[in-house]
Amino acid sequence: MNQTRSFTSKSAVRPEQLADKLRFGDVQWAENGEVLIWHECRSDRGVLVAARPFQLGARDLNREYAVRAGVGYGGGDFSVHGKQVLFVSGPRILRQSLDETEPVVLYESDGDIASPVLSPSGEWMVFVESWKDRERLAMAGLEGGSAVDFYTSSDFNMQPNWHPSGKFLTWVSWEHPYMPWERSRIRIAEVSGGKRVRELSSPEAEYDFAAFQPVFSPDGNCLACVTDRGGWANLRIYSFPGMVLLHEMKEPCEHSQPAWIQGMRTFAWTPDSQAVYLIRNCSGISALARYNLGESSLTLVGGEVEKISSLAQISVSPAGQIALTGSSPSVPPRVLVTNDSGTVKAARKSLPGEFPYDSKYNPVPVSWKPGKQASSDADHACHGLLYKAEAEETSAEGEVKLKPPPAVIRIHGGPTSSYAAEFDPDVRFYTSRGFSVLALNYRGSSGYGREYRNLLTGNWGVTDVEDVKDAADFLVSGNLADRYRIFLDGGSAGGFTLLLSLIRNPGFFRGGICRYGVADLLKLTEDTHRFEAHYLDSLIGKLPRTGTGM
């Protein structure tokens, strides 16, 4: 009788342990860099927490109001200026002073709000306000009263940032039918008395590329942003106000992320305006880098921060301390503080106590060529992150043999999103029970350059489905998975790909876990919100209009 070690054996990782964790949305410095403010989600409630780093006494800033912005998928929940914190709670913008106990309502909307930012003088605030059929950048004073239109000429706006003088504002805008990672542009306007006086020339006259996070330098002499004009999302620095290109990185890595939400940040100026810290993504693994303007050189920050393979929401204090949110497959999400030497200290941990650490489950970037079934762009390799499990021991009549482990192929949503080397409770659950996991970044995923992402254009449900089958063949051919025990796991757009993979390859996969998967594209066009109302136009083609929705 054959005896096989069960791949459902007892694990040190329990489902309830994985569910009991905080989620961090953003982190920023306040009070001249002496206080750290971060946004954490506890169940369905957003809370702002203030602390002097590495000292006891972290405190919640808001009690009555839950912190959550409502434009699109969220983000842009709060901003900090000195001792003042602006935050969004439903249709309201509130101001909370670090010296006071109760927040003050500054503005209430009949739409959705995100990204409130105070002017350097503290006299004005700008924010994104959205309704079902329109959106604007609005300006309002801090003494109450109504908000006025600042900019209404684009379908969408995000990432407003003030010039240190308070005389200029920059932001990103884009139009239907594009998504912000497909085609967006930087705008700059002169501001006077809380109104837009005139719009200045943008850094680029043509914009058949994506722009991300324009930020003025602390001395006001430069404007930095990230664009994928050269095929990869790289830093570009212009003089201001002349808008002469001074620096341009040309790295085969990504230095921004698809802007699914407001308020995303992947770089920050140093206080002396002589360098920029960046989060770079190469093959799904993050690293912290520093670009020095004087030498036009890029260096990676070493030390302990190298062990944190997924980083986000960078913020630099006036003293040069770097705050981020970060995790790795073996380190649950944390609010981190680091510096030039890469020393890492955790200001907040998402899980209490220590989580079981096992470095053997850290992923390895893998790639392979699509198989014979692939479409005409098969010369592009497909990518993923492999969490490799050990082969199983089997015994029969006293002879011990090794058998490939079972495997799960994970299919991300988006669909132009990607998997990163981050702490993922689902992956941890599978790997701790003996499964190999392949986090598939199929053709069309972000993180591998604009050309790779565009391979999904017009091919959703084709290219991605081909890559799921080829991923399984890759695992089997490398003896990384048992041919008869390969499962699929996907949600949202990943659920759509999962369902099609099961339909087009009957009997090939052992099973699938489909979570809130897309199943009816016509219904999706009717029910989806304004942000992605035309997303399917590029993914599949223009669908028949039904008179509702898009």
Side-chain angles (χ1 to χ4, degrees):
M1 179 178 179
N2 289 354
Q3 293 181 341
T4 304
R5 178 173 60 83
S6 171
F7 57 79
T8 57
S9 58
K10 186 176 181 180
S11 166
V13 181
R14 305 183 308 276
E16 62 271 20
Q17 184 183 24
L18 295 171
D20 184 26
K21 69 182 181 73
L22 301 172
R23 291 173 289 123
F24 301 122
D26 197 1
V27 55
Q28 298 181 37
W29 293 100
E31 202 172 333
N32 220 18
E34 296 182 10
V35 176
L36 201 58
I37 311 289
W38 65 85
H39 178 226
E40 65 183 45
C41 297
R42 305 169 186 169
S43 185
D44 62 344
R45 181 175 175 80
V47 179
L48 290 181
V49 181
R52 296 185 182 274
F54 325 123
Q55 298 181 20
L56 297 176
R59 63 187 177 97
D60 294 352
L61 289 181
N62 58 299
R63 298 180 179 86
E64 179 182 354
Y65 299 97
V67 179
R68 189 183 189 284
V71 175
Y73 283 107
D77 302 283
F78 77 100
S79 68
V80 177
H81 179 70
K83 291 187 176 184
Q84 303 296 316
V85 181
L86 296 188
F87 68 90
V88 179
S89 179
R92 305 177 188 87
I93 299 175
L94 298 99
R95 179 180 61 185
Q96 172 74 61
S97 171
L98 297 182
D99 296 331
E100 298 173 0
T101 57
E102 297 299 327
V104 177
V105 176
L106 298 177
Y107 179 74
E108 188 161 359
S109 173
D110 57 357
D112 297 313
I113 302 174
S115 300
V117 186
L118 268 175
S119 65
S121 67
E123 185 180 2
W124 306 96
M125 65 176 176
V126 65
F127 54 93
V128 177
E129 190 170 19
S130 179
W131 296 268
K132 185 176 181 180
D133 57 347
R134 62 189 178 96
E135 184 171 297
R136 69 171 179 171
L137 268 185
M139 191 83 75
L142 264 65
E143 302 304 321
S146 60
V148 299
D149 290 345
F150 184 82
Y151 181 79
T152 61
S153 299
S154 293
D155 290 322
F156 299 96
N157 304 280
M158 67 178 179
Q159 298 172 322
N161 277 290
W162 288 91
H163 188 271
S165 68
K167 296 179 180 180
F168 304 96
L169 189 77
T170 183
W171 69 99
V172 172
S173 71
W174 72 99
E175 323 292 339
H176 277 317
Y178 300 104
M179 302 298 282
W181 54 85
E182 293 176 328
R183 182 169 174 171
S184 52
R185 70 181 303 173
I186 294 167
R187 297 190 181 275
I188 308 168
E190 184 178 356
V191 184
S192 178
K195 297 180 180 180
R196 178 168 59 99
V197 177
R198 62 189 175 100
E199 193 166 335
L200 280 65
S201 298
S202 297
E204 307 284 353
E206 302 296 329
Y207 65 109
D208 56 347
F209 52 88
F212 184 88
Q213 195 194 338
V215 183
F216 293 107
S217 58
D219 63 12
N221 294 328
C222 294
L223 174 73
C225 64
V226 173
T227 81
D228 65 357
R229 183 184 181 90
W232 293 86
N234 273 305
L235 181 72
R236 294 167 73 90
I237 299 176
Y238 299 85
S239 65
F240 187 81
M243 303 313 301
V244 176
L245 181 62
L246 303 176
H247 301 272
E248 180 183 14
M249 285 173 45
K250 296 182 178 180
E251 296 284 316
C253 291
E254 301 282 71
H255 297 89
S256 69
Q257 298 174 314
W260 280 99
I261 61 174
Q262 294 270 338
M264 298 174 72
R265 298 189 310 279
T266 57
F267 71 88
W269 284 94
T270 57
D272 61 5
S273 302
Q274 296 303 304
V276 174
Y277 285 105
L278 306 102
I279 298 170
R280 62 196 270 114
N281 171 21
C282 296
S283 300
I285 298 176
S286 292
L288 181 63
R290 177 181 169 120
Y291 183 85
N292 293 295
L293 275 64
E295 300 84 17
S296 297
S297 63
L298 183 74
T299 57
L300 296 180
V301 178
E304 296 173 333
V305 75
E306 290 182 292
K307 299 178 182 179
I308 309 300
S309 53
S310 179
L311 299 167
Q313 296 306 105
I314 186 169
S315 179
V316 177
S317 77
Q321 291 282 85
I322 307 164
L324 313 101
T325 61
S327 73
S328 72
S330 297
V331 179
R334 297 178 176 184
V335 175
L336 305 170
V337 177
T338 186
N339 51 34
D340 242 349
S341 65
T343 302
V344 174
K345 295 183 179 180
R348 187 76 139 195
K349 299 179 180 180
S350 63
L351 287 170
E354 292 300 318
F355 199 85
Y357 176 84
D358 198 337
S359 61
K360 72 180 181 181
Y361 291 128
N362 287 342
V364 176
V366 293
S367 61
W368 59 93
K369 286 287 188 178
K372 295 180 180 180
Q373 66 163 355
S375 48
S376 59
D377 51 34
D379 58 325
H380 291 269
C382 187
H383 302 279
L385 293 169
L386 176 63
Y387 301 76
K388 184 180 177 181
E390 296 179 355
E392 298 177 345
E393 292 185 1
T394 66
S395 61
E397 301 176 354
E399 184 180 3
V400 177
K401 297 182 178 180
L402 294 179
K403 182 179 181 180
V408 176
I409 298 174
R410 302 202 68 213
I411 311 167
H412 63 72
T416 46
S417 183
S418 64
Y419 282 120
E422 60 188 353
F423 184 82
D424 189 318
D426 293 337
V427 169
R428 194 73 178 187
F429 183 84
Y430 291 134
T431 55
S432 67
R433 285 162 171 77
F435 286 83
S436 286
V437 174
L438 178 55
L440 175 61
N441 287 328
Y442 49 79
R443 288 171 292 168
S445 302
S446 58
Y448 302 89
R450 185 182 183 94
E451 184 179 2
Y452 188 79
R453 192 187 67 235
N454 285 344
L455 294 177
L456 200 64
T457 301
N459 287 313
W460 188 33
V462 178
T463 298
D464 48 330
V465 174
E466 292 171 354
D467 288 350
V468 171
K469 174 62 165 56
D470 288 336
D473 291 338
F474 166 77
L475 291 174
V476 172
S477 64
N479 210 34
L480 299 167
D482 184 339
R483 160 72 181 83
Y484 300 101
R485 293 186 295 168
I486 299 178
F487 300 83
L488 303 180
D489 181 338
S492 188
F496 173 77
T497 302
L498 181 152
L499 294 173
L500 284 177
S501 297
L502 295 178
I503 292 169
R504 293 178 185 169
N505 302 281
F508 184 84
F509 299 103
R510 187 65 181 268
I513 302 173
C514 181
R515 300 179 244 198
Y516 52 91
V518 173
D520 186 336
L521 296 182
L522 288 176
K523 187 65 175 176
L524 176 64
T525 64
E526 297 174 1
D527 294 341
T528 195
H529 50 82
R530 182 172 173 270
F531 174 72
E532 53 187 17
H534 292 275
Y535 194 18
L536 295 188
D537 290 9
S538 63
L539 291 174
I540 297 176
K542 291 187 177 181
L543 298 176
R545 297 299 188 255
T546 60
T548 60
M550 65 182 267

